[in-house]
Amino acid sequence: MRLRLLADENIAAPLVHALRSAGHDVTYVAELAPGLTDDAVLSLARQESRLLLTEDKDFGELVFRLMKNPPGIILLRLPVPGWQQQYDRLHELSANHAEKLSRVYAVVENRRFRFRPFT
């Protein structure tokens, strides 16, 4: 399934390019407006109805404690750095769990996916 993503600036450029090549609609903060605050990133995700793709755990606090909910968040938490493994896991996520990504905080790990609904 094709995803509409807002890639935080901490996401590797090769991953963004690979996702675009696979047909996903990706806006990249590093290209659009580097240095945006986390609040501004969440606001942009809401305005554009995009899932936020990030490696930054700080978004969890903004969503669960401060209730600043975007359409969804995908947090990459893989132990081995490298965009190829991230791409492979995101491909599996979009192929098998895309219907679960709305209004959830999804954590992508090496061996599992976790989904926590926004309150």
Side-chain angles (χ1 to χ4, degrees):
M1 173 176 221
R2 181 175 181 253
L3 299 177
R4 283 181 49 83
L5 300 167
L6 175 61
D8 196 6
E9 68 183 309
N10 60 20
I11 299 299
L15 176 57
V16 170
H17 298 302
L19 290 167
R20 287 174 175 162
S21 293
H24 298 288
D25 181 355
V26 184
T27 297
Y28 192 21
V29 173
E31 294 171 345
L32 183 66
L36 277 182
T37 66
D38 289 351
D39 278 335
V41 170
L42 286 175
S43 179
L44 183 60
R46 278 192 303 273
Q47 288 170 9
E48 296 191 1
S49 298
R50 293 180 181 276
L51 301 170
L52 174 59
L53 177 63
T54 188
E55 292 183 51
D56 186 350
K57 294 185 292 183
D58 291 343
F59 285 105
E61 178 181 359
L62 292 172
V63 168
F64 292 109
R65 194 170 69 80
L66 302 177
M67 309 298 260
K68 297 186 176 198
N69 298 343
I73 293 178
I74 301 171
L75 175 67
L76 298 175
R77 299 296 298 160
L78 300 169
V80 177
W83 69 268
Q84 185 63 54
Q85 182 189 21
Q86 291 174 335
Y87 175 80
D88 293 343
R89 294 297 286 151
L90 286 169
H91 176 73
E92 184 179 344
L93 180 72
S94 68
N96 298 317
H97 302 286
E99 73 285 350
K100 296 179 184 176
L101 297 176
S102 179
R103 303 213 19 89
V104 300
Y105 188 84
V107 180
V108 176
E109 297 175 332
N110 196 36
R111 295 200 163 120
R112 67 180 177 157
F113 302 109
R114 291 184 288 136
F115 304 95
R116 182 176 174 193
F118 297 156
T119 54

